[in-house]
Amino acid sequence: MKVAIIGMGTAGVSTLNQLSKHKKFKNITVDIFDSAEDMGMGKPFQNDSDRLLINLPANQMSLNPNNEKDFKKWYKKNDEFDYGKAKYLPRLVFGHYMKSILNDLLDKHDNIFVHKHKVDSCYVEEIKDERGQYKIDVCYIEDDEAVCQKYDYVFLTMGMLPYKDPYGLSGIEGYIESPYPTTQALRNVKEKDDIAILGTGLSSIDVIRYVMENHKRLPIVVTSRSAQFPTVRGIKHEINLKYINDKSIEKLQKTHKGMAPLKEVEKLFEKECNYQNINLHKMLYRFKKDNVYNLKYDLKHEDEVGHFQSFVEEVKHHMIPIWNAMTIDDKTIFLEKYGQHFKRNTNPMPQSSAKQLIEWIENGDIVVKEGLENVRKYYGKFRLKYKGIEKEDRYHYVINATGPKKNLSELSEDEHFIKGLENKQIIAAHPFGGILVLPYSNEVISPKFGTMPNLKVIGQLTSGVNFDANGVSLLVDQSVRAVNDLYIELKERKNTQKIQSKKK
């Protein structure tokens, strides 16, 4: 069996790592594809400023599904990095951890072949093999020539989509489209230039930390529509769910003809919160508009907040069957009511980042402004318009930290690989983000070819089905399931070949 893995960041390395652990790994050949700079590290964990911290403690990060502390163990043995007993390590360290796993695999196995090229396009042959599946052509440019190879099985593991451009500023001088690498973000900025940062999520915090240490013109303005930072990571709790589990969800679906009505789901949540001794209303509505108040609250109540965050994180791991049993209307209402709460509480910032933000805001070095409505460039400066305020603020540079795109409709023609798959009807957009795949198996559902068991997607592109799949542990979970399916397929292919040979 010939296998391709397209994208070698967290999802790609995890998939290859899981493939290699199987006793039948020697029976397949694997081609891996990515640019030289992304190969083995991906964009979030590339070499960049060491001020960019992972938002999870090091002892909770791992590509080993059986050992949560695998990354921390690697860090302790590695002499290249020394950040003492830091609880939160720089992102680049995790990148080197992934790179070391990849290099170890390449050293041990001669059936893995590296292609340091971005894949340009994919095609599906309309002739089925003996298993009733289509072969997939993967094409890339090498030495200015198009090269295409056929594969029995393909994993799409490209990671996050490019950053949003909500105000149509792409290509305008002074607009920094992506905050990464941050070491390049300020390369053309002069000391006297004013800077505004768009977005208040984790990417924005990365940018704030870097800009504050490398730019002298203060204050730095951070702005978005709501201008609310993520929560602060509290103390982790072990959570064992009693009511939100496969058995309860199956029972709920049987009662409601395969569906999970939102009102019934909310009842399950309430019962679970009561069982876990969580004051749901208090935790959901503890926020005020004042970011400093919110940050200080979470720091002061680290046990209670951490308990809730741990609960939400565990629930997120069980959301796939609930989410996919809801109607579109119920999903829409669910996101309106709870979407931001999931986002804020499953992606909290490190306590050290929160303490720095408080200090900078209270000193006036950082100004957080809500109600951003529009950004335009006029007479050499960017003009930022806020709701209810006529006068526009002016800045020399704007750094975009609004986060990655989520929907295929947001992609520009420059993102031609994904657009090409959609145009050829190999993939189709999911109404809640990413593309259509089967829950759990992550098999592509193609408008033209139907369900494709040998074309798997792992990562953000499955967010519409997998409830905004994000985080290393969730990606590893997806990789484990996808790889198990491949080896089942490999076994069934061999059985089919035996049957056919006997008939001959």
Side-chain angles (χ1 to χ4, degrees):
M1 179 184 282
K2 195 172 181 182
V3 178
I5 303 176
I6 301 174
M8 285 306 293
T10 307
V13 174
S14 178
T15 299
L16 182 62
N17 192 34
Q18 293 305 316
L19 281 170
S20 71
K21 292 178 179 180
H22 200 280
K23 60 184 178 181
K24 297 291 185 181
F25 181 60
K26 62 182 181 295
N27 295 339
I28 66 176
T29 59
V30 185
D31 285 355
I32 60 175
F33 295 88
D34 214 330
S35 65
E37 62 179 4
D38 289 352
M39 181 67 71
M41 299 180 85
K43 293 201 179 299
F45 302 111
Q46 277 184 15
N47 286 318
D48 202 340
S49 168
D50 62 3
R51 307 307 296 166
L52 277 59
L53 301 180
I54 305 168
N55 69 311
L56 265 175
N59 61 4
Q60 297 176 32
M61 293 280 286
S62 175
L63 289 194
N64 184 342
N66 301 314
N67 184 2
E68 190 180 46
K69 295 178 171 58
D70 190 58
F71 170 48
K72 188 66 178 287
K73 182 180 176 182
W74 174 89
Y75 167 71
K76 286 181 177 179
K77 288 183 178 180
N78 193 284
D79 296 329
E80 187 178 352
F81 304 102
D82 185 9
Y83 295 94
K85 295 182 179 179
K87 186 177 181 180
Y88 297 89
L89 291 172
R91 289 189 183 189
L92 66 92
V93 181
F94 191 79
H96 282 269
Y97 159 72
M98 293 196 301
K99 188 87 169 182
S100 74
I101 291 175
L102 175 59
N103 289 336
D104 286 345
L105 293 173
L106 294 176
D107 290 340
K108 290 177 184 176
H109 304 283
D110 59 6
N111 57 334
I112 305 171
F113 301 92
V114 179
H115 301 268
K116 293 182 179 178
H117 309 282
K118 289 285 189 184
V119 172
D120 187 68
S121 58
C122 281
Y123 298 87
V124 176
E125 292 191 357
E126 297 195 37
I127 300 174
K128 294 183 178 181
D129 63 16
E130 69 276 6
R131 291 278 300 145
Q133 295 176 8
Y134 302 98
K135 283 194 180 289
I136 300 166
D137 286 356
V138 174
C139 304
Y140 55 96
I141 305 298
E142 184 174 23
D143 298 327
D144 297 324
E145 290 188 10
V147 179
C148 294
Q149 298 193 56
K150 291 179 174 55
Y151 294 93
D152 303 296
Y153 220 98
V154 173
F155 294 95
L156 298 179
T157 54
M158 289 95 61
M160 294 188 303
L161 293 173
Y163 265 62
K164 299 172 187 173
D165 180 22
Y167 303 102
L169 302 172
S170 179
I172 296 177
E173 185 179 355
Y175 177 64
I176 300 168
E177 295 186 42
S178 170
Y180 304 113
T182 57
T183 51
Q184 298 296 312
L186 301 180
R187 63 187 181 276
N188 297 319
V189 180
K190 300 181 180 69
E191 283 189 11
K192 64 180 181 179
D193 290 336
D194 293 310
I195 296 175
I197 298 170
L198 307 183
T200 50
L202 289 175
S203 297
S204 176
I205 294 167
D206 283 343
V207 178
I208 292 169
R209 287 171 62 91
Y210 183 78
V211 171
M212 283 298 297
E213 292 192 6
N214 293 275
H215 189 63
K216 295 180 180 178
R217 181 69 181 269
L218 302 176
I220 305 297
V221 169
V222 184
T223 181
S224 68
R225 288 192 297 272
S226 63
Q228 291 288 300
F229 288 121
T231 58
V232 184
R233 188 171 295 281
I235 297 171
K236 184 181 179 181
H237 287 236
E238 292 300 323
I239 302 293
N240 295 307
L241 299 175
K242 182 177 181 180
Y243 298 102
I244 301 175
N245 53 44
D246 293 345
K247 188 176 179 180
S248 297
I249 296 160
E250 284 177 15
K251 184 178 178 182
L252 182 63
Q253 288 180 266
K254 283 181 181 179
T255 308
H256 296 276
K257 298 182 178 179
M259 305 307 295
L262 180 56
K263 287 184 179 180
E264 298 301 319
V265 172
E266 287 177 320
K267 289 178 183 177
L268 275 183
F269 270 71
E270 288 174 10
K271 287 174 71 175
E272 190 67 68
C273 285
N274 290 334
Y275 175 74
Q276 302 290 345
N277 198 26
I278 289 172
N279 186 330
L280 182 60
H281 187 272
K282 180 182 177 182
M283 285 292 98
L284 292 183
Y285 302 104
R286 69 186 188 273
F287 308 110
K288 295 185 178 181
K289 286 189 175 182
D290 184 347
N291 274 290
V292 170
Y293 171 87
N294 294 337
L295 296 173
K296 286 183 175 179
Y297 181 95
D298 284 2
L299 287 170
K300 186 177 179 180
H301 301 86
E302 61 178 354
D303 187 62
E304 184 180 24
V305 169
H307 186 195
F308 182 63
Q309 290 169 345
S310 301
F311 165 71
V312 175
E313 183 65 36
E314 188 63 27
V315 167
K316 193 172 180 180
H317 279 268
H318 291 77
M319 275 300 295
I320 295 176
I322 298 174
W323 177 249
N324 287 288
M326 287 185 190
T327 64
I328 288 179
D329 287 345
D330 275 355
K331 285 178 181 176
T332 302
I333 296 168
F334 181 89
L335 288 178
E336 288 173 355
K337 291 177 71 173
Y338 307 111
Q340 279 301 316
H341 296 297
F342 269 89
K343 187 175 180 180
R344 291 183 78 174
N345 285 286
T346 57
N347 292 291
M349 72 177 82
Q351 291 190 355
S352 57
S353 296
K355 290 172 183 176
Q356 280 193 317
L357 279 176
I358 291 169
E359 180 182 343
W360 288 330
I361 294 171
E362 290 185 333
N363 288 344
D365 297 330
I366 293 290
V367 174
V368 184
K369 302 190 75 169
E370 66 173 328
L372 182 65
E373 283 190 333
N374 190 41
V375 183
R376 64 189 181 114
K377 194 170 186 183
Y378 186 66
Y379 280 97
K381 279 195 173 185
F382 291 94
R383 314 293 177 101
L384 275 63
K385 173 74 173 62
Y386 297 93
K387 185 177 181 179
I389 301 174
E390 284 191 25
K391 187 179 178 181
E392 297 173 315
D393 289 349
R394 304 179 184 186
Y395 302 93
H396 295 97
Y397 282 86
V398 167
I399 302 175
N400 179 29
T402 55
K405 296 172 182 176
K406 190 174 179 180
N407 300 297
L408 298 193
S409 59
E410 298 176 271
L411 297 179
S412 67
E413 293 305 317
D414 293 336
E415 285 109 31
H416 64 274
F417 176 62
I418 300 295
K419 293 289 286 184
L421 293 176
E422 183 183 27
N423 192 40
K424 293 190 281 281
Q425 298 184 76
I426 297 172
I427 63 172
H430 190 285
F432 290 91
I435 67 174
L436 290 171
V437 297
L438 280 182
Y440 295 109
S441 71
N442 286 11
E443 299 169 17
V444 164
I445 302 174
S446 165
K448 186 174 183 180
F449 303 104
T451 302
M452 301 184 66
N454 59 333
L455 181 57
K456 302 269 191 176
V457 186
I458 296 170
Q460 192 209 357
L461 270 177
T462 70
S463 61
V465 170
N466 289 329
F467 190 65
D468 200 20
N470 199 9
V472 172
S473 63
L474 290 169
L475 294 179
V476 172
D477 287 348
Q478 289 185 27
S479 298
V480 170
R481 291 196 297 268
V483 167
N484 286 341
D485 288 347
L486 178 143
Y487 282 112
I488 291 170
E489 173 64 22
L490 182 63
K491 183 178 180 180
E492 291 179 350
R493 279 174 182 256
K494 290 203 169 186
N495 290 337
T496 301
Q497 289 169 358
K498 285 180 181 179
I499 293 169
Q500 290 180 343
S501 64
K502 285 180 179 179
K503 287 182 179 179
K504 291 178 181 178

